[in-house]
Amino acid sequence: MSKKINNIKEAIKESPLQVIALALYLDVDDTTISKWNSNTAQPSLKRLNEVGEVLEVDNRNLIQSVPRESSGLASALQKEYKRLLTEGMPTKIKLPNNHGEIKEVNNPDFVKALQKFAVDYKKKLK
């Protein structure tokens, strides 16, 4: 079962508007609405706003709240970012794309280092 991220299903149930009518109004397939309802897919913010507008529901009521506890992760991650910079790790690298053009992209090693740091930081808190 998918983790509940939105409350669109509940908002539709409280509305007189049928799913198929909503799908037609939004110009999406009704299976898209079904995926939103089951939380197997999520609407873009633009689509979420359109759903809220037509159903006359505040956007905040369409999104499932996820409570968070402060752990200091953002500060610790910023310190790690600065440490990696001090070590000389570049934040961007240049790679060829599918057409052979050189594009600047996020350094995958930097990304992995920050992500690993965050995982390890969270483990230490437990």
Side-chain angles (χ1 to χ4, degrees):
M1 183 163 177
S2 299
K3 185 175 180 179
K4 186 172 179 183
I5 297 173
N6 74 62
N7 299 319
I8 294 173
K9 182 177 183 177
E10 291 79 3
I12 292 172
K13 280 183 182 178
E14 293 176 16
S15 167
L17 190 63
Q18 290 182 286
V19 169
I20 188 68
L22 178 61
L24 287 167
Y25 171 80
L26 297 173
D27 193 19
V28 298
D29 194 280
D30 58 326
T31 59
T32 298
I33 307 265
S34 177
K35 289 176 184 177
W36 296 345
N37 286 346
S38 64
N39 280 274
T40 57
Q42 299 303 321
S44 67
L45 290 176
K46 179 183 176 204
R47 287 290 188 201
L48 187 75
N49 190 55
E50 291 170 345
V51 169
E53 186 176 311
V54 73
L55 297 180
E56 299 175 331
V57 175
D58 190 302
N59 290 8
R60 290 179 290 181
N61 295 332
L62 294 175
I63 301 205
Q64 185 68 30
S65 177
V66 180
R68 305 258 197 289
E69 290 186 25
S70 179
S71 69
L73 176 60
S75 294
L77 198 57
Q78 179 64 26
K79 287 178 186 173
E80 179 65 5
Y81 164 78
K82 286 184 176 184
R83 186 188 71 76
L84 292 170
L85 286 177
T86 303
E87 285 187 357
M89 184 181 285
T91 59
K92 303 278 186 182
I93 61 170
K94 294 183 181 201
L95 293 174
N97 66 12
N98 295 341
H99 304 291
E101 302 165 332
I102 301 297
K103 295 287 182 178
E104 191 173 64
V105 298
N106 288 337
N107 180 349
D109 292 335
F110 208 112
V111 171
K112 287 177 190 170
L114 289 177
Q115 290 174 346
K116 181 180 181 324
F117 177 85
V119 167
D120 292 346
Y121 183 89
K122 290 175 185 177
K123 283 181 183 175
K124 288 179 188 176
L125 296 175
K126 291 181 180 182

